[in-house]
Amino acid sequence: MAKAKRNSEFIIERDKEKCVKCQACVRVCANNVHSFDAGGDTVSSDPLLCVGCHFCEDICPTGALRISRNISDIKANANWSRETVRSITKQAETGGILLTGMGSDVHLKDYFRHIILNAAQVTNPSIDPLREPMELKTFIGSKPGKVEYGFNIAGGRKKYFLKTSLPPQLMLETPIMFSAMSFGSVSLNTLRSIAQAAAEYGTYWNTGEGGLPEELKPFANRAIVQVASGRFGVDIDYLESGAAVEIKIGQGAKPGIGGHLPGEKVSGQISRTRMIPEGTDALSPAPHHDIYSIEDLRQLIYALKEAVCYRKPVGVKIAAVHNVAAIVSGIVRAGADYVAIDGIRGGTGAAPTVIRDNVGIPIELAIAVVDQRLREEGIRHQASVIAAGGFRSSADVIKAIALGADAVYIGTAALVALGCHICQKCYTGKCNWGIATQDPYLTRRLNPEIGARRAFNLLRAWSVEIKEMLGGMGINAIESLRGNREQLRAVGLDEKEREILGIKHAGETW
Amino acid sequence: MNKLCGDLDYRVPSACGITGIMDASGELFSGDSIYASICNMRERGNGLGAGFAAYGIYPDFRDFWCFHIMYQQESAKELTENYLKKYFKIRHFEPIPTRKTASLNRVPILYRYFLVPDKDVQEKMPVQMSDEEVIVSHVMYINRFITDAFVFSSGRNMGIFKGVGHPDEIGEFFRIPDYRGYIWIAHNRFPTNSVGWWGGAHPFGLLDWSVIHNGEISSYGINKRYLENFGYFCTLNTDTEVITYLFDLLVRKHGIDLELAGGIMAAPFWLQIERVKEPETAELLKTLRIVYAQALVNGPFGIIVANQNFMVGLNDRIKLRPLVAASKGSLLYIASEESAIRCVCSEPDMVWMPRAGEPTVCQLRKASGREKVWLKQKETANL
């Protein structure tokens, strides 16, 4: 084929003074960007192959490499950006759907950025989390509307006993969990890192739809096991080993479509975990073919509850779409113990770019309308709400909780903690950081012990920040912030947006 | 835990003053002492609100619900009275007796009505409701939808008297020393923004409940949304309202003990629950916290709540507002400051600081059947 009619996205600069020709870059790059010519004793690079993951830059012992964006641009045009032209050029070459990885990178209004938090002054003392208890403990599961109890009087003292029994709950030490990432889309070491971090911190990780690898069984009691449309890896042992079961209906990065793990990635280990023959494509259908409506979902929820003898919460994950409030209301009425909602900025291992960037609604709006609708219908206590989709900092988390989420799922942030530089090439299977790949040469770059520590540190850092912000508001338990939109104000949002979010504008008093 | 978050009085910024006196034997006593007690804390208010609640003051109408209503104008009175006539049998009504007080401004029209729900109307209703439900729904209706009318007291054999002014002025105005009751609570307000409306003063009341409150509730946003699920609408934009409704929901509707209701609103920390030895009690406390998470009242507060049968003092879970209790014979005193107790009871049998989050409960002897009339939870605070 002729030379590609597009220029490279990145510029690779090699400082000849610093380069000692050790060829580390040549050996590590899975995209074969760097090469060594023994005859000429030169190391050269092909920027067209570079994905911008910065792994070579990171590993170069002398700091000789620098990867930067290629700012060479076409004539300025408000409608035809370089990215647009590049996309069309690629499609002209291949005739296919453009694929991408990670969450959407297009500029869509960032509502979190337009929401600000309160702090206590004078009439209400702020609380110092280093001196006073500050509670983030969170329970995910269905709650009864009221508690009934009885008591006996023995020795002049009341001895209470409960009459209400609490449905099964997940107990989180912080309202942050790791989002679903399947074995297949990410490496075993990646999962091992986050599973161990979740177990050590006292929160949960999620198997995604790829089954539960044998090696991760020690962390199964902290795992939410997913049942997706492909039913990969699902059997009674799988359901029984997890802490909760999650039916995956949709994903924020690709609402309405299924998944495809190409056969070349289905190695022996993945084939055993997913329970499919080695080398076959793992296709997740777009819908569950046994769920064509809400009453079918109810059957699956109760089939799973029966399977786990009502000892574990059964939740449902959906993508945030236009009618999300009514859909969630239906899911709660169908018996789900929690509903996870994934917003338009949610990540993925592989999705069509056009869908990732154009389908779904922002998670902030989804949380607000779902929480409000469930309250209006008097069923908010029947299920927890977990928000997902592009949470970048503890500020995003605390705002989501104040809008009404019980907890959040983080995916991309956890991968960044493990080294990911968001080059968006997860779907190629050539992740130099050893995350979104199954190539043993690449996966061993991620040491799961170090990974676990880094993921744990992330949970800790965000939790400590949340405690600081809570204390600043004069609140010492996360449940007093949950759904407490009085602590939020909008900056630069119009009346309709504020109405949907249920928050006042900055400058408005209580 | 108590070392960490015990009696941190030194952190408390000056704000409202609260005081309450109850005779557990049910003996009536005049409003003189509560009047003296609250006036002793004049410094804790700024003249923008004061009020009293008294139980046992209407023995002649003990079986009738008594609505105290304030009207901003005559037309609202007419509308409201037509509404009341439609749903209630009114046994007696009259202007609330007052004494002209020159220093008070914007005095509303004040009336009281002794009434019972009209059974004939009740029977025609599609759903059967208890008298309490009927009263709550009508109070909510009037306060939400009839402009310039506000029901500020709706219990039996009890009444709330409040307005914008210093406690001595409001006490004078409503002739507080002329009444005789067995529970008295009083409030002196220091709001941060100026209010001209009499309805915003404390105590707040619903049915037989009355609440006075010193503090600010950081969890207001969620407490309010939680209560809306149960048909309580916060119309006053003050946080004390939510405390009143939370008590009504937890104690009256959900049948939860006072001590436990206090333990929901000022819930023990998880670390404290973990240390509870009896597994049944620990399980109960844990379940209450999980189920009633939205009823946790966060932020600094000292409150006194009263009902026909009891008076309760409660602090927030790290005691960010002052509260002192004392006893003398069958009398229990709870106040923001010890001086407010000593000025009416110079030699109490006992004085103590209720701990953070632990309710101080005084029950009417005939209701509790107990000789001992007050309960300090755990009986630990010994002086």
Side-chain angles (χ1 to χ4, degrees):
Chain A
M1 196 176 133
K3 180 175 178 293
K5 289 180 172 47
R6 54 190 160 91
N7 57 4
S8 68
E9 267 188 274
F10 300 96
I11 293 173
I12 302 167
E13 290 169 282
R14 182 183 302 275
D15 188 333
K16 291 271 188 320
E17 301 261 300
K18 288 185 181 167
C19 179
V20 294
K21 297 171 190 168
C22 68
Q23 301 164 50
C25 52
V26 179
R27 287 189 298 276
V28 297
C29 182
N31 299 299
N32 300 319
V33 170
H34 309 287
S35 54
F36 179 63
D37 176 8
D41 190 30
T42 52
V43 186
S44 56
S45 309
D46 178 0
L48 260 184
L49 298 173
C50 179
V51 299
C53 78
H54 294 259
F55 190 75
C56 58
E57 194 183 85
D58 191 70
I59 207 156
C60 175
T62 61
L65 282 171
R66 183 164 166 261
I67 313 293
S68 53
R69 256 176 292 181
N70 184 358
I71 51 166
S72 148
D73 211 342
I74 60 169
K75 186 177 168 63
N77 189 317
N79 298 316
W80 300 91
S81 67
R82 191 174 69 154
E83 283 67 37
T84 308
V85 171
R86 188 196 304 277
S87 296
I88 292 177
T89 312
K90 269 194 208 164
Q91 291 191 303
E93 285 168 11
T94 62
I97 291 175
L98 294 171
L99 278 185
T100 187
M102 311 306 288
S104 181
D105 57 8
V106 299
H107 183 77
L108 194 65
K109 193 162 191 170
D110 179 353
Y111 284 96
F112 281 136
R113 193 60 271 156
H114 289 267
I115 297 173
I116 48 179
L117 296 160
N118 192 31
Q121 299 286 296
V122 185
T123 54
N124 183 353
S126 42
I127 302 169
D128 183 348
L130 296 176
R131 292 166 189 271
E132 314 270 359
M134 195 59 67
E135 302 184 310
L136 301 186
K137 205 183 276 279
T138 295
F139 292 84
I140 299 295
S142 178
K143 279 94 177 163
K146 61 185 279 195
V147 174
E148 289 183 24
Y149 60 88
F151 59 83
N152 302 313
I153 298 195
R157 292 194 58 200
K158 269 186 183 173
K159 283 203 68 167
Y160 292 106
F161 59 90
L162 268 174
K163 289 184 186 164
T164 306
S165 67
L166 198 60
Q169 305 284 323
L170 297 180
M171 188 174 89
L172 287 60
E173 292 302 325
T174 186
I176 306 168
M177 297 192 282
F178 292 118
S179 197
M181 288 178 278
S182 71
F183 179 40
S185 76
V186 293
S187 66
L188 187 61
N189 282 351
T190 304
L191 286 176
R192 165 77 201 276
S193 300
I194 60 174
Q196 189 177 327
E200 283 171 6
Y201 205 89
T203 183
Y204 295 82
W205 63 288
N206 190 311
T207 63
E209 56 181 295
L212 180 68
E214 192 60 39
E215 293 84 345
L216 298 180
K217 294 241 162 107
F219 308 105
N221 64 343
R222 284 282 163 181
I224 295 175
V225 295
Q226 234 182 27
V227 174
S229 61
R231 297 287 197 276
F232 298 119
V234 178
D235 66 6
I236 189 64
D237 292 340
Y238 173 74
L239 298 176
E240 281 181 347
S241 60
V245 182
E246 181 172 286
I247 299 169
K248 181 200 174 183
I249 300 290
Q251 188 178 337
K254 42 181 174 179
I257 66 168
H260 178 186
L261 188 70
E264 50 268 36
K265 284 194 187 171
V266 180
S267 62
Q269 212 175 9
I270 290 182
S271 114
R272 282 192 299 281
T273 310
R274 293 211 175 203
M275 301 174 188
I276 52 171
E278 229 176 297
T280 52
D281 287 4
L283 294 167
S284 296
H288 285 245
H289 283 299
D290 53 356
I291 303 175
Y292 281 9
S293 186
I294 189 80
E295 62 272 23
D296 301 336
L297 176 64
R298 183 182 168 82
Q299 286 189 6
L300 182 58
I301 290 173
Y302 278 93
L304 293 170
K305 285 190 174 186
E306 286 286 336
V308 297
C309 302
Y310 297 86
R311 283 196 293 253
K312 301 168 198 293
V314 173
V316 175
K317 177 178 178 178
I318 58 161
V321 291
H322 302 334
N323 202 23
V324 65
I327 294 165
V328 172
S329 167
I331 293 171
V332 174
R333 289 173 195 284
D337 296 310
Y338 73 83
V339 183
I341 309 164
D342 197 8
I344 190 167
R345 289 193 303 268
T348 177
T353 314
V354 69
I355 288 181
R356 186 195 69 174
D357 294 348
N358 294 285
V359 183
I361 66 170
I363 189 62
E364 302 92 325
L365 305 178
I367 300 167
V369 295
V370 164
D371 179 60
Q372 184 59 27
R373 173 68 74 93
L374 295 181
R375 284 178 187 282
E376 282 165 9
E377 300 195 10
I379 54 174
R380 181 64 183 85
H381 61 279
Q382 285 181 25
S384 299
V385 173
I386 301 170
F391 289 90
R392 301 152 298 188
S393 68
S394 57
D396 290 352
V397 175
I398 200 168
K399 290 170 190 174
I401 288 171
L403 283 171
D406 287 280
V408 306
Y409 269 143
I410 58 167
T412 303
L415 298 187
V416 171
L418 303 183
C420 169
H421 279 53
I422 318 192
C423 73
Q424 308 185 11
K425 290 288 188 287
C426 325
Y427 61 96
T428 63
K430 293 188 197 167
C431 176
N432 275 323
W433 292 92
I435 296 167
T437 177
Q438 303 305 323
D439 181 345
Y441 178 64
L442 302 175
T443 57
R444 68 168 186 251
R445 292 176 189 178
L446 179 62
N447 177 327
E449 288 298 329
I450 296 172
R453 195 176 70 222
R454 296 178 66 87
F456 178 95
N457 282 345
L458 181 71
L459 288 174
R460 181 184 180 278
W462 284 17
S463 303
V464 171
E465 287 178 342
I466 290 172
K467 288 180 180 186
E468 286 288 341
M469 288 185 275
L470 267 187
M473 286 183 254
I475 289 176
N476 57 13
I478 191 79
E479 59 257 45
S480 293
L481 183 71
R482 191 166 286 126
N484 186 352
R485 301 182 190 175
E486 285 287 356
Q487 298 293 339
L488 301 176
R489 288 292 183 274
V491 172
L493 295 181
D494 68 30
E495 210 178 328
K496 190 71 190 175
E497 290 167 315
R498 299 202 305 275
E499 179 196 319
I500 291 169
L501 289 164
I503 60 178
K504 297 181 179 125
H505 202 279
E508 285 184 89
T509 180
W510 292 126
Chain B
M1 193 51 50
N2 279 304
K3 281 228 169 58
L4 264 180
C5 49
D7 300 342
L8 300 175
D9 281 350
Y10 59 92
R11 288 181 57 172
V12 172
S14 184
C16 309
I18 58 178
T19 179
I21 309 172
M22 171 169 181
D23 192 330
S25 69
E27 283 288 315
L28 302 181
F29 54 98
S30 94
D32 284 329
S33 45
I34 196 76
Y35 181 77
S37 175
I38 192 66
C39 291
N40 196 49
M41 293 192 289
R42 201 176 199 271
E43 280 299 305
R44 299 187 73 86
N46 61 359
L48 291 176
F52 300 81
Y55 292 79
I57 54 172
Y58 298 134
D60 298 343
F61 299 103
R62 66 170 72 241
D63 297 325
F64 291 84
W65 300 93
C66 177
F67 283 13
H68 288 190
I69 305 184
M70 55 179 74
Y71 303 109
Q72 290 308 119
Q73 48 187 322
E74 200 64 40
S75 60
K77 176 167 176 282
E78 206 179 303
L79 272 174
T80 309
E81 286 180 351
N82 286 338
Y83 181 84
L84 290 177
K85 280 178 202 152
K86 208 162 132 193
Y87 295 102
F88 296 96
K89 291 228 181 294
I90 301 173
R91 167 73 193 276
H92 177 70
F93 73 100
E94 62 186 5
I96 297 177
T98 54
R99 183 175 287 134
K100 282 198 174 38
T101 310
S103 53
L104 293 179
N105 292 318
R106 301 179 64 179
V107 180
I109 304 163
L110 294 155
Y111 266 77
R112 60 187 173 200
Y113 304 82
F114 297 90
L115 38 75
V116 284
D118 189 331
K119 290 289 171 221
D120 296 339
V121 179
Q122 283 310 104
E123 265 156 34
K124 286 183 203 127
M125 291 288 172
V127 272
Q128 266 309 312
M129 294 201 289
S130 67
D131 273 10
E132 281 85 358
E133 304 285 347
V134 173
I135 300 290
V136 171
S137 67
H138 289 302
V139 170
M140 292 285 158
Y141 183 88
I142 295 170
N143 291 352
R144 281 177 90 192
F145 299 116
I146 304 186
T147 317
D148 291 335
F150 179 58
V151 184
F152 61 101
S153 180
S154 53
R156 280 166 304 187
N157 199 12
M158 63 80 70
I160 292 169
F161 306 90
K162 63 183 183 181
V164 176
H166 282 290
D168 46 337
E169 294 163 342
I170 296 295
E172 270 292 298
F173 176 76
F174 281 111
R175 310 169 69 140
I176 291 302
D178 295 353
Y179 292 93
R180 292 177 66 80
Y182 58 91
I183 305 176
W184 283 93
I185 62 174
H187 187 262
N188 185 14
R189 193 170 186 224
F190 197 130
T192 47
N193 46 350
S194 115
V195 279
W197 188 51
W198 281 42
H202 299 206
F204 281 94
L206 182 70
L207 300 173
D208 294 339
W209 296 104
S210 61
V211 177
I212 47 178
H213 168 227
N214 167 20
E216 183 174 307
I217 302 178
S218 334
S219 55
Y220 177 77
I222 188 57
N223 299 144
K224 172 175 181 274
R225 295 180 78 206
Y226 178 61
L227 287 162
E228 282 168 1
N229 284 346
F230 298 96
Y232 298 93
F233 293 95
C234 300
T235 50
L236 307 175
N237 286 324
T238 92
D239 21 19
T240 308
E241 205 183 5
V242 306
I243 295 180
T244 317
Y245 301 158
L246 282 172
F247 266 100
D248 188 55
L249 173 73
L250 297 174
V251 179
R252 183 177 65 82
K253 279 197 179 166
H254 287 189
I256 288 170
D257 281 20
L258 273 173
E259 291 99 292
L260 289 177
I264 287 171
M265 295 167 64
F269 287 93
W270 288 113
L271 281 170
Q272 291 172 306
I273 293 177
E274 279 165 24
R275 284 204 291 260
V276 171
K277 286 199 186 71
E278 289 163 346
E280 292 87 1
T281 310
E283 195 55 35
L284 176 73
L285 291 172
K286 180 182 166 189
T287 307
L288 288 173
R289 255 203 93 167
I290 293 174
V291 175
Y292 291 108
Q294 300 171 75
L296 172 65
V297 180
N298 222 306
F301 67 82
I303 54 174
I304 301 175
V305 183
N307 198 331
Q308 294 284 3
N309 295 322
F310 54 80
M311 178 174 81
V312 188
L314 181 67
N315 265 130
D316 64 85
R317 54 214 299 255
I318 52 176
K319 194 146 182 159
L320 296 173
R321 287 284 196 266
L323 208 61
V324 189
S327 65
K328 172 88 176 174
S330 60
L331 286 163
L332 181 83
Y333 300 83
I334 305 174
S336 297
E337 294 178 15
E338 197 173 325
S339 64
I341 298 173
R342 295 261 179 197
C343 76
V344 291
C345 173
S346 55
E347 283 175 25
D349 301 338
M350 204 161 71
V351 181
W352 70 94
M353 297 277 178
R355 289 190 178 192
E358 290 183 359
T360 303
V361 180
C362 179
Q363 279 183 299
L364 209 55
R365 206 171 263 162
K366 66 174 194 283
S368 71
R370 268 189 282 224
E371 186 53 31
K372 183 157 183 164
V373 289
W374 65 88
L375 259 182
K376 289 178 297 167
Q377 212 173 10
K378 294 183 192 162
E379 296 289 322
T380 46
N382 229 332
L383 274 179

